[in-house]
Amino acid sequence: MLDKILDEPLSSWLRSTDPIGDIHSHIVLSSRIRLARNFKSLQFTNRNHEASLKDVESRMRGVLGTLKAADGREYSNISLDKLSDTEREILVEKHLMSPQMGQKLPYRSLVVADDASVAIMVNEEDHIRIQTMEAGLHLQEALEHALKIDDAIESKCDYAFNERYGYLTACPTNVGTGMRASAMLHLPALAMTGRINRLIRSITQLGYSVRGLYGEGSQALGNIYQISNQVTMGISEEDTITQLQKVLEKLVQEEVKAREAIRNGDFEAFEDRVWRAFGTLQYARRLSGEEALGLLSDVQLGMDLGVLPQHSADVFNELVVTTRPNFLSKYAGKESMTASERDSYRAKVVRDRLAR
Amino acid sequence: MLDKILDEPLSSWLRSTDPIGDIHSHIVLSSRIRLARNFKSLQFTNRNHEASLKDVESRMRGVLGTLKAADGREYSNISLDKLSDTEREILVEKHLMSPQMGQKLPYRSLVVADDASVAIMVNEEDHIRIQTMEAGLHLQEALEHALKIDDAIESKCDYAFNERYGYLTACPTNVGTGMRASAMLHLPALAMTGRINRLIRSITQLGYSVRGLYGEGSQALGNIYQISNQVTMGISEEDTITQLQKVLEKLVQEEVKAREAIRNGDFEAFEDRVWRAFGTLQYARRLSGEEALGLLSDVQLGMDLGVLPQHSADVFNELVVTTRPNFLSKYAGKESMTASERDSYRAKVVRDRLAR
């Protein structure tokens, strides 16, 4: 299963549920819930207390069957120190774990469902971080799934929980629900019209965090943004999601409006940009990761607005993953590639994919 | 015949004689001879003496049959004041006459052979300027053709000729042979490697003139340069051509060397540039004339170096003409197009031509 997770360009939760029609499904790429949990009577991960680290890992190994019983999926436990550096980086590039987990440290593992819709980081900042992912805007479903997993684990081991503060976590910013809900949005029209920066500022002022999925803030590569809640105390999981959902729907509306503005503006200039991006992706012999994501973003928007034929619903999502440096190395079957070898290989992968 | 000359993108003298193989034929696009002549006992054109202007024009009208007898071609006389501004500009863009002839002035005409290999400007700076054109590096053939036409005209009307100085011309820089020999060269590799500027300086110091065919000097659009002799006194026509031929062969050698350097250097970077140029030409929805010529130059070099399949021997030569502003307007059937309409139409013309 590890091979499948490493090799597949597209995790099943990222596959479009609605391959052609719905414009919204192309704006909100995915939804994610993360719950930070720690076990009672064990030291926090950052204390580096070997017995506790070991205990956490073995507990998680012990609950695989319970997890399967909870949601019917096959689970496996991947010991991260048994992976190569590239393999760990791929799990990071695929958003199955955080960049911190890319380092080679003992007793770290990833518990992952066969369809990659659940990934539990073991001994990251907290003892466990349960993550559930859904394609499109489906925070509620992701939360239900996360709580199911959460309950299943709690039925086997007690969490560190305080009546007044809620779940106790290594970093005080997570105390309370321990929940971070987030969505990955493709906002090319807002980036093109320049409205994105003002929107990011307002959303940040409302207490949400906005990050480029690759790259930060307005430098978001491929115009992909991740929006998440920051507050975890004094508000329930349900309310957090309801409020975040409103913010996301507002952003989607703004993106739709920006797309309308492009439609009603100098549309030929837009067509020119889209077709040139397509031509470059189809023919370039060298592509940097940054350029590839930018061109892919233009091409996806071009497909959404009917300039390009809908090449394949998932070509954008897929290439966004495939063109990342480590995935690319793995794909090429070479553990170490120079940046320039990667640029050549990236161009080839993109050409081949577009030719299909 | 005027329609044919105006409408055909490629004058027959510009068609490659050697469609696929010979690299030299793709470096030297064409050769041209121009002879400046004035008739005895008539005032120079710049004196604006109506009787003389009229006399010159009617004499030329009278020699059409003689010209046909001389080289077997059909000739016609085009009165320039009967053409639209766009039509006159097309004749300029096709290098059948000089930019000065683009103005609407009385008694100006163009005597032209059916295959456009001979074009005689009537009442330009001199009474007549006989021009002959050949595809590839064929200065000698062009000279022989020009002299044949010259003799035919002289058999009917006396030229202003002085035993000591030679042919008398309106501008002293043409006195002597009255001949300007020139060749049109495509030098993309020398431009790419930056060697072109030093070469232009040396050639200029040797007494030759180097101009961009469109645009000046190192700004030469499409990397097309026109090299011609400057000296017309104290040297015979034959010697002028022999010496110019040496300079041109040297330039061709340098271009071939620069192409070898590209082949032996970072060839993938070159392939990347060529394929991107091809992709842009194939897909862009707007192209400026300058961008089109630059991309076409890259694509032609790519075909010459085997990166792109030899699309069609004449696609470069043809599109270099077709994408010029006035030809484009005529092609679109619109006398007046805005710059932006032209950019859209230019992109369409290029796409359609490449799709063939």
Side-chain angles (χ1 to χ4, degrees):
Chain A
M1 184 160 83
L2 172 62
D3 280 351
K4 182 176 160 238
I5 286 172
L6 287 173
D7 291 346
E8 270 196 349
L10 214 53
S11 305
S12 57
W13 58 270
L14 240 179
R15 278 186 215 288
S16 307
T17 40
D18 175 15
I20 303 291
D22 185 14
I23 192 171
H24 291 212
S25 75
H26 290 157
I27 296 178
V28 184
L29 302 178
S30 65
S31 305
R32 162 191 309 247
I33 296 290
R34 186 217 68 193
L35 301 176
R37 298 290 186 256
N38 291 278
F39 296 120
K40 206 176 261 180
S41 322
L42 292 181
Q43 299 215 21
F44 278 143
T45 305
N46 59 3
R47 303 306 289 261
N48 246 327
H49 183 256
E50 198 174 344
S52 295
L53 291 168
K54 237 168 145 166
D55 196 339
V56 169
E57 216 213 347
S58 77
R59 281 181 195 208
M60 289 309 293
R61 226 180 270 281
V63 298
L64 297 184
T66 312
L67 296 178
K68 180 177 176 178
D71 72 355
R73 288 170 171 79
E74 289 294 334
Y75 280 83
S76 45
N77 184 305
I78 302 169
S79 295
L80 295 184
D81 56 3
K82 298 214 175 92
L83 300 187
S84 72
D85 291 351
T86 303
E87 287 170 330
R88 279 197 306 277
E89 288 301 331
I90 290 174
L91 294 173
V92 175
E93 286 174 355
K94 298 186 83 173
H95 304 287
L96 292 174
M97 61 187 207
S98 64
Q100 296 92 294
M101 298 287 271
Q103 299 161 51
K104 192 183 169 84
L105 289 169
Y107 309 116
R108 266 68 179 176
S109 61
L110 188 71
V111 172
V112 63
D114 50 5
D115 63 353
S117 65
V118 182
I120 306 171
M121 292 190 279
V122 179
N123 282 320
E124 201 236 27
E125 190 178 88
D126 294 294
H127 288 159
I128 59 169
R129 290 194 157 183
I130 303 164
Q131 301 171 94
T132 52
M133 278 79 71
E134 293 274 341
L137 184 48
H138 294 293
L139 288 168
Q140 189 59 46
E141 288 86 336
L143 176 62
E144 282 160 20
H145 195 181
L147 292 176
K148 203 181 278 177
I149 299 300
D150 190 39
D151 290 345
I153 297 171
E154 202 174 12
S155 72
K156 295 282 172 183
C157 341
D158 279 348
Y159 285 142
F161 183 82
N162 175 288
E163 279 304 325
R164 182 159 172 209
Y165 298 117
Y167 293 99
L168 301 178
T169 54
C171 178
T173 59
N174 291 315
V175 170
T177 58
M179 181 185 79
R180 185 140 312 189
S182 69
M184 209 156 92
L185 274 65
H186 183 225
L187 303 174
L190 284 173
M192 220 171 258
T193 56
R195 293 249 308 137
I196 191 70
N197 294 324
R198 213 151 61 90
L199 284 167
I200 289 179
R201 273 201 302 279
S202 332
I203 294 169
T204 308
Q205 279 163 6
L206 286 172
Y208 294 91
S209 137
V210 181
R211 287 182 301 153
L213 188 63
Y214 304 109
E216 288 297 313
S218 60
Q219 292 302 308
L221 298 183
N223 301 310
I224 301 176
Y225 295 85
Q226 190 170 13
I227 323 286
S228 58
N229 67 304
Q230 304 246 48
V231 179
T232 53
M233 212 190 273
I235 178 168
S236 72
E237 288 89 344
E238 292 292 340
D239 287 350
T240 302
I241 283 178
T242 307
Q243 288 177 17
L244 176 59
Q245 180 102 9
K246 276 186 198 151
V247 169
L248 295 173
E249 280 166 6
K250 173 75 180 153
L251 262 179
V252 169
Q253 272 171 27
E254 292 288 338
E255 172 69 15
V256 170
K257 259 200 265 175
R259 291 176 181 205
E260 278 310 301
I262 289 172
R263 239 186 244 289
N264 300 325
D266 183 353
F267 196 63
E268 196 189 56
F270 174 72
E271 291 177 305
D272 185 53
R273 175 172 170 162
V274 166
W275 279 108
R276 282 170 183 249
F278 181 70
T280 304
L281 287 174
Q282 201 180 339
Y283 289 120
R285 261 51 192 171
R286 280 181 184 168
L287 279 174
S288 74
E290 184 176 342
E291 186 185 15
L293 287 179
L295 296 171
L296 284 166
S297 174
D298 283 355
V299 162
Q300 179 61 47
L301 183 57
M303 295 197 295
D304 289 349
L305 296 192
V307 171
L308 289 172
Q310 202 71 30
H311 188 278
S312 138
D314 291 320
V315 70
F316 175 68
N317 291 356
E318 184 180 322
L319 283 173
V320 162
V321 174
T322 323
T323 55
R324 296 286 80 207
N326 290 286
F327 191 89
L328 211 58
S329 294
K330 169 90 180 164
Y331 205 74
K334 285 186 183 177
E335 278 289 305
S336 65
M337 284 176 111
T338 65
S340 126
E341 282 170 345
R342 266 206 307 269
D343 286 355
S344 308
Y345 190 67
R346 181 180 290 112
K348 185 177 151 39
V349 164
V350 170
R351 285 200 307 278
D352 290 352
R353 183 64 185 86
L354 289 179
R356 264 193 277 148
Chain B
M1 186 160 82
L2 171 62
D3 280 351
K4 184 178 158 235
I5 286 171
L6 287 174
D7 292 346
E8 268 195 353
L10 215 53
S11 305
S12 58
W13 59 269
L14 242 180
R15 278 185 214 289
S16 308
T17 40
D18 176 14
I20 303 293
D22 185 15
I23 193 172
H24 292 213
S25 75
H26 290 157
I27 296 177
V28 185
L29 303 178
S30 64
S31 304
R32 161 194 311 246
I33 296 291
R34 186 219 67 195
L35 302 175
R37 297 291 185 259
N38 291 277
F39 298 119
K40 204 177 265 181
S41 320
L42 292 181
Q43 299 214 24
F44 278 144
T45 304
N46 59 3
R47 303 307 287 263
N48 245 327
H49 182 257
E50 197 175 345
S52 295
L53 292 168
K54 236 166 145 169
D55 197 340
V56 168
E57 218 215 345
S58 77
R59 282 181 194 208
M60 289 309 293
R61 224 179 271 280
V63 298
L64 298 185
T66 313
L67 297 177
K68 179 176 178 177
D71 72 355
R73 286 169 174 81
E74 288 294 335
Y75 281 84
S76 44
N77 185 303
I78 302 170
S79 295
L80 295 183
D81 56 3
K82 298 216 177 89
L83 301 187
S84 72
D85 292 351
T86 303
E87 287 170 331
R88 280 196 307 276
E89 287 302 332
I90 291 174
L91 294 172
V92 175
E93 286 173 356
K94 298 186 82 173
H95 303 286
L96 292 174
M97 61 186 207
S98 64
Q100 296 92 294
M101 298 287 270
Q103 298 161 50
K104 191 184 171 83
L105 289 169
Y107 309 115
R108 267 66 180 177
S109 62
L110 188 71
V111 171
V112 63
D114 49 5
D115 63 352
S117 66
V118 182
I120 306 171
M121 290 190 278
V122 179
N123 283 320
E124 201 236 23
E125 189 179 87
D126 293 294
H127 289 157
I128 59 171
R129 290 195 156 183
I130 303 164
Q131 302 171 92
T132 53
M133 278 78 73
E134 293 273 341
L137 184 48
H138 295 292
L139 287 169
Q140 189 58 44
E141 288 86 337
L143 176 62
E144 282 160 21
H145 196 180
L147 292 177
K148 202 180 278 177
I149 299 300
D150 191 39
D151 290 344
I153 296 172
E154 202 174 13
S155 73
K156 295 282 171 179
C157 343
D158 281 349
Y159 284 142
F161 183 83
N162 175 288
E163 279 304 324
R164 181 160 175 210
Y165 299 117
Y167 293 99
L168 301 179
T169 54
C171 178
T173 58
N174 292 314
V175 171
T177 59
M179 183 185 80
R180 185 140 309 188
S182 69
M184 209 156 90
L185 275 65
H186 183 226
L187 304 173
L190 285 173
M192 218 171 260
T193 57
R195 293 248 308 136
I196 191 71
N197 293 324
R198 213 150 61 90
L199 284 167
I200 288 179
R201 273 200 303 279
S202 333
I203 293 170
T204 308
Q205 279 164 6
L206 286 171
Y208 295 91
S209 137
V210 181
R211 287 183 301 154
L213 188 63
Y214 304 108
E216 288 298 314
S218 58
Q219 291 303 308
L221 298 184
N223 301 310
I224 302 176
Y225 296 85
Q226 190 171 11
I227 325 285
S228 58
N229 67 306
Q230 303 246 49
V231 179
T232 52
M233 213 192 274
I235 177 168
S236 71
E237 287 89 345
E238 293 292 340
D239 288 351
T240 302
I241 282 178
T242 308
Q243 289 178 17
L244 176 59
Q245 180 103 10
K246 276 186 198 151
V247 169
L248 295 173
E249 279 166 6
K250 175 76 181 150
L251 262 179
V252 169
Q253 272 170 29
E254 291 289 338
E255 172 69 15
V256 170
K257 258 199 265 176
R259 290 176 180 204
E260 277 311 302
I262 288 172
R263 241 187 244 289
N264 300 326
D266 182 355
F267 196 63
E268 196 188 55
F270 173 72
E271 292 178 303
D272 185 52
R273 175 172 168 160
V274 166
W275 279 109
R276 282 171 183 249
F278 182 69
T280 304
L281 287 174
Q282 202 179 338
Y283 289 119
R285 259 52 190 170
R286 280 181 184 167
L287 280 174
S288 74
E290 184 176 342
E291 186 184 16
L293 287 177
L295 296 170
L296 284 165
S297 174
D298 283 355
V299 161
Q300 179 62 48
L301 183 58
M303 294 196 297
D304 289 350
L305 297 192
V307 171
L308 289 173
Q310 202 71 29
H311 188 279
S312 141
D314 292 319
V315 70
F316 174 68
N317 291 357
E318 184 180 321
L319 283 174
V320 162
V321 175
T322 324
T323 55
R324 297 285 78 207
N326 291 286
F327 191 88
L328 211 58
S329 294
K330 169 89 179 163
Y331 206 73
K334 286 186 184 177
E335 279 288 303
S336 65
M337 283 176 112
T338 65
S340 127
E341 283 171 345
R342 265 205 307 269
D343 286 355
S344 309
Y345 190 68
R346 181 180 289 111
K348 183 176 154 36
V349 164
V350 170
R351 286 200 308 277
D352 290 352
R353 183 64 186 84
L354 290 178
R356 263 193 277 150

